[in-house]
Amino acid sequence: MARIPDVQKLLRDDIISGAIPFGSRLRIDELASRYGVSHMPVREALRALSGTGLVVLEPNRGARVRTVHLSFVVDLFDIRSAIETMLARRASERRTAEHLRDLKAAEELLEARVASEDFLAVPHANNIFHGVINEAAGNPGALSMVDRNWLLVAAIWQRYGYDEGRFHGVINDHRHIIRAIERQDAGSAAVLMGAHIEKAKHDLLDRIAVDPKPDIGLQ
């Protein structure tokens, strides 16, 4: 029996990779043909991805991939900084021994990916690291906002790639964040997380400035 394609995952991956650019109109007939499915799973995928922010459903006009401008990128990071700074503070107060083990294991995974130069796998490992911190914080409402934000940021980063040197800075930041959480130093954990996200924002903005892409507006 033939396996039914996961249209939501396929479409999400195509958007994140840039195969379907930001701002593109998403026509059900074309997507059904692209993925070899009927219209129904395409409609379901579009509804699901509209909840992540990657897809916008417009009354009487259908669906499109979100349009992205420079100001939107800045807003994404500002939102992420506010939420994840709070989560790092809470994680340092509420973390358990198990959380610390998971956090260190996630960092070991990330550093192994960097050491082996498997740079395409680093973002996923990075998401696991931040996910452990967010889980330790115990704020489900904030987690859903972070997950939505992460997909959008990942899609934008994918357009520009990662400077190899950036990962060494990420590793250094992570190690300091782990120490702060381990010591239950809430103030330091929050400051370090905020600085970590600000660095990421400026790194990405610098790459956008040097190599603008046609599907991202410089506004």
Side-chain angles (χ1 to χ4, degrees):
M1 185 175 182
R3 184 178 179 183
I4 300 174
D6 185 342
V7 178
Q8 181 180 335
K9 181 180 185 302
L10 292 171
L11 179 55
R12 182 194 66 205
D13 290 349
D14 278 345
I15 295 171
I16 290 176
S17 70
I20 300 178
F22 287 122
S24 298
R25 183 64 58 187
L26 296 170
R27 295 177 173 84
I28 292 176
D29 285 346
E30 293 176 0
L31 292 174
S33 176
R34 182 186 186 99
Y35 301 126
V37 297
S38 66
H39 288 188
M40 182 59 69
V42 173
R43 290 192 179 96
E44 292 173 352
L46 292 173
R47 282 196 294 270
L49 290 176
S50 71
T52 70
L54 286 175
V55 169
V56 176
L57 301 180
E58 300 174 321
N60 303 317
R61 297 188 64 186
R64 62 174 172 80
V65 183
R66 172 178 288 281
T67 301
V68 172
H69 300 286
L70 200 59
S71 58
F72 177 72
V73 176
V74 173
D75 289 345
L76 275 179
F77 276 94
D78 288 348
I79 292 168
R80 181 183 170 195
S81 179
I83 296 173
E84 291 208 48
T85 295
M86 177 273 292
L87 291 173
R89 181 184 296 277
R90 292 290 178 264
S92 69
E93 297 168 345
R94 301 172 179 175
R95 60 81 177 159
T96 64
E98 183 178 0
H99 288 133
L100 286 177
R101 287 194 298 271
D102 290 346
L103 191 59
K104 291 175 181 179
E107 180 59 16
E108 288 175 4
L109 174 64
L110 185 148
E111 294 187 23
R113 295 288 185 264
V114 173
S116 64
E117 299 186 353
D118 186 6
F119 300 126
L120 290 177
V122 173
H124 177 65
N126 184 57
N127 189 44
I128 294 173
F129 176 87
H130 284 271
V132 175
I133 295 174
N134 300 341
E135 181 67 28
N139 188 325
L143 293 184
S144 64
M145 296 180 68
V146 170
D147 289 343
R148 171 188 170 111
N149 183 294
W150 183 82
L151 275 176
L152 290 165
V153 171
I156 298 166
W157 269 116
Q158 189 70 25
R159 296 297 193 278
Y160 296 95
Y162 296 85
D163 181 352
E164 181 178 341
R166 166 174 160 69
F167 294 130
H168 298 292
V170 168
I171 288 170
N172 185 59
D173 287 353
H174 283 189
R175 289 176 177 176
H176 284 291
I177 291 169
I178 290 172
R179 283 198 288 272
I181 291 174
E182 187 169 29
R183 294 169 182 163
Q184 295 187 300
D185 184 345
S188 292
V191 169
L192 290 166
M193 182 61 77
H196 177 59
I197 295 172
E198 282 297 303
K199 290 177 189 177
K201 178 175 77 173
H202 289 291
D203 283 350
L204 181 53
L205 292 177
D206 286 346
R207 292 185 76 81
I208 292 173
V210 170
D211 182 23
K213 303 294 184 184
D215 62 339
I216 294 183
L218 300 182
Q219 296 181 5

